[in-house]
Amino acid sequence: MLTSAAFAGKRYAVLGLARSGLAAVRTLVKSGAHVMAWDNREEPRQQVMAEFGDKVELADPVGADLAGFDGIVVSPGVPLNTHPIASEAAAVGVPVIGDIELFALARADLPAHRVIGITGTNGKSTTTALVHHLLKSAALPVRMGGNIGLPILAQDPLPAGGVYVLELSSYQIDLTYSLACEVTALLNITPDHLDRYDGFGGYTASKARLSEMQRAEQHAVFGTGDPETLAIASREQARRAPGLVHYADGSRVAAMQPDWPTLQGPHNLQNAAVAVEIVEALGLTEGQWRPAMATFKGLPHRMERVAEAQGVLYINDSKATNPASTAPALAAFPPKPDRRVHWILGGLPKGDDLDECAPFFGNVAAAYTIGEAGPKFANLLEPYMPVRRSEMMCEAIRQAMEEAKPGDVVLLSPACASFDQFRDYEARGDTFRQIVDALLEGGSC
């Protein structure tokens, strides 16, 4: 784990003891801080007591005397616009921070290193993993963490010359004040999480803060697909020297994209373009990053290639839990020359339509509907394509296998939440992978 003398003798409260919260407690205790910790769930409280005993004060900071504390470390899931901890901390002048701010404060004690911070409404996990892969392929010491699910404080420090690659959500940025990344990237901004902000403008301002925390001599990369991102880029360009603000419009890499199996589709063109600008800002050359693009395996459940048999490609895009997320997956496989996507969709619907997907219906050879949304989606799609009302995942995959021809794609991209039939989208994607493997081996499901 990461530790720092910056926390020795300080007082911190930690609210929320999931992965990042537990990592914060461990870092602070090992660094010599006095720690108060709390979670509304009994299990993580017991875990903290078993691990630290009386080294941690187990108490709810809400209602506690917080005067004199150096910070309240809260989980990104705590809604600061409604939770009482925000006003209570403000009343005594104690900052409310997150684990990424602890990392920022600890940087002075780490061997010489650089930090990349990546944010955006869509694509940030893939871009983070891709940058990590490109740097690792170039033999640089590298760690990946943040919103991608790996608490950065829980990882061992890198040797001198290392690079920390952080995926950062708006919630994490809201809790961070001193993270001056050597390179930042803002992929895009579309309305999201508006229950936590004062409208779309508040959400946009949150995303802007990642580059605003940088010094004027540091690099910032921006996507070019929406006016909000471009407006932030323009402001940043005005305060930096020429060559430090980079626009990733995809034109440099579009001709190369067909050679990158896990980076197909317009959304991945932007992800790849941003990744290239980031690693070149760190000094990598095209001779280093271009061959590594083709070996990127992608993330589980995000356009994940799970098999290829008899000329048919099987893609697990279970992470697509709404139509807006599914649309780029459909767009990734245009006719060649015939329609070639066998689309498995359905689950617990988040809306009543598939309007975001409609521009790409012409790519779909057939749809196979499952789950609670199945009947509704079947009715919506039947005017545009052949539809099989499969109901269950196994039947959908079996039917798609029977109908797919060489060059076709069997695509699980549900456009729905999973909770009607599966624990979560990971369980749904794992089931898809297992059934595909079993059926290809001549078994059953």
Side-chain angles (χ1 to χ4, degrees), residues 388-409:
R388 302 290 292 270
R389 297 174 183 251
S390 307
E391 297 188 6
M392 304 300 292
M393 175 81 77
C394 179
E395 184 65 9
I397 298 171
R398 188 187 61 76
Q399 291 170 340
M401 278 186 174
E402 290 174 352
E403 297 183 23
K405 307 185 303 293
D408 286 358
V409 178

Side-chain angles (χ1 to χ4, degrees), residues 155-200:
Q155 303 187 51
D156 291 335
L158 289 167
V163 182
Y164 297 89
V165 186
L166 304 180
E167 177 192 338
L168 300 173
S169 70
S170 60
Y171 299 163
Q172 289 171 311
I173 296 170
D174 292 341
L175 297 167
T176 307
Y177 303 95
S178 58
L179 181 68
C181 300
E182 278 68 28
V183 186
T184 63
L186 173 57
L187 283 90
N188 46 59
I189 305 176
T190 57
D192 201 8
H193 306 306
L194 299 188
D195 58 321
R196 292 274 293 262
Y197 295 98
D198 183 15
F200 185 40

Side-chain angles (χ1 to χ4, degrees), residues 2-254:
L2 300 183
T3 60
S4 172
F7 308 129
K10 302 288 184 65
R11 302 180 71 196
Y12 289 91
V14 179
L15 179 60
L17 299 174
R19 283 179 291 188
S20 64
L22 280 173
V25 171
R26 291 176 179 130
T27 287
L28 291 169
V29 171
K30 295 293 185 182
S31 299
H34 170 81
V35 179
M36 173 190 292
W38 188 254
D39 194 293
N40 288 334
R41 298 167 298 152
E42 177 68 22
E43 183 178 350
R45 297 201 303 265
Q46 291 178 346
Q47 182 177 350
V48 165
M49 292 307 296
E51 185 171 344
F52 297 107
D54 58 7
K55 292 181 180 179
V56 172
E57 178 187 357
L58 201 61
D60 190 344
V62 175
D65 181 5
L66 299 175
F69 274 68
D70 295 279
I72 314 298
V73 184
V74 304
S75 162
V78 174
L80 296 183
N81 58 332
T82 59
H83 199 282
I85 193 63
S87 58
E88 293 188 15
V92 290
V94 178
V96 177
I97 63 176
D99 67 312
I100 301 300
E101 177 63 12
L102 291 180
F103 170 74
L105 296 172
R107 290 186 65 185
D109 285 341
L110 298 176
H113 64 278
R114 291 174 289 181
V115 176
I116 298 167
I118 299 170
T119 194
T121 305
N122 298 303
K124 54 187 178 291
S125 293
T126 295
T127 304
T128 299
L130 178 58
V131 169
H132 177 267
H133 171 74
L134 299 179
L135 296 176
K136 188 174 182 181
S137 297
L140 288 175
V142 61
R143 293 267 191 276
M144 178 171 63
N147 192 60
I148 203 164
L150 303 168
I152 194 63
L153 295 177
Q155 303 187 51
D156 291 335
L158 289 167
V163 182
Y164 297 89
V165 186
L166 304 180
E167 177 192 338
L168 300 173
S169 70
S170 60
Y171 299 163
Q172 289 171 311
I173 296 170
D174 292 341
L175 297 167
T176 307
Y177 303 95
S178 58
L179 181 68
C181 300
E182 278 68 28
V183 186
T184 63
L186 173 57
L187 283 90
N188 46 59
I189 305 176
T190 57
D192 201 8
H193 306 306
L194 299 188
D195 58 321
R196 292 274 293 262
Y197 295 98
D198 183 15
F200 185 40
Y203 174 66
T204 299
S206 174
K207 291 296 191 185
R209 287 192 58 254
L210 181 60
S211 54
E212 289 170 355
M213 283 187 281
Q214 289 184 282
R215 298 187 297 275
E217 69 272 16
Q218 295 175 318
H219 291 263
V221 180
F222 296 92
T224 60
D226 62 88
E228 290 76 18
T229 298
L230 288 173
I232 296 167
S234 179
R235 294 200 301 270
E236 290 301 319
Q237 190 166 17
R239 74 179 182 95
R240 305 186 197 220
L244 293 176
V245 169
H246 310 264
Y247 292 88
D249 64 4
S251 59
R252 286 186 58 201
V253 298

Side-chain angles (χ1 to χ4, degrees), residues 246-440:
H246 310 264
Y247 292 88
D249 64 4
S251 59
R252 286 186 58 201
V253 298
M256 309 175 196
Q257 190 184 20
D259 298 328
W260 305 335
T262 61
L263 291 168
Q264 297 303 294
H267 60 310
N268 277 322
L269 178 63
Q270 182 185 61
N271 296 339
V274 169
V276 166
E277 295 293 337
I278 290 171
V279 299
E280 286 193 344
L282 290 182
L284 267 65
T285 65
E286 182 174 333
Q288 291 174 296
W289 60 254
R290 186 168 179 174
M293 286 285 197
T295 60
F296 178 59
K297 294 183 178 179
L299 292 171
H301 316 296
R302 293 171 174 87
M303 294 294 284
E304 176 191 10
R305 296 165 63 101
V306 301
E308 186 169 3
Q310 299 179 334
V312 177
L313 183 61
Y314 295 84
I315 300 286
N316 166 24
D317 192 39
S318 182
K319 181 66 167 63
T321 59
N322 57 60
S325 298
T326 287
L330 297 178
F333 303 103
K336 198 196 279 188
D338 299 323
R339 299 182 180 202
R340 58 191 177 120
V341 176
H342 295 262
W343 179 22
I344 299 172
L345 76 157
L348 190 66
K350 293 184 175 180
D352 295 326
D353 60 59
L354 293 167
D355 289 355
E356 291 96 337
C357 300
F360 310 107
F361 285 171
N363 297 354
V364 181
Y368 308 80
T369 59
I370 63 175
E372 182 178 314
K376 177 188 297 183
F377 284 178
N379 291 335
L380 286 172
L381 296 175
E382 280 171 341
Y384 304 98
M385 65 193 70
V387 176
R388 302 290 292 270
R389 297 174 183 251
S390 307
E391 297 188 6
M392 304 300 292
M393 175 81 77
C394 179
E395 184 65 9
I397 298 171
R398 188 187 61 76
Q399 291 170 340
M401 278 186 174
E402 290 174 352
E403 297 183 23
K405 307 185 303 293
D408 286 358
V409 178
V410 175
L411 171 68
L412 171 68
S413 192
C416 284
S418 60
F419 307 124
D420 59 336
Q421 293 180 324
F422 301 95
R423 180 184 69 251
D424 50 33
Y425 76 83
E426 290 100 335
R428 178 169 61 190
D430 290 341
T431 299
F432 175 79
R433 188 188 304 111
Q434 292 160 6
I435 292 174
V436 168
D437 290 343
L439 293 178
L440 289 177

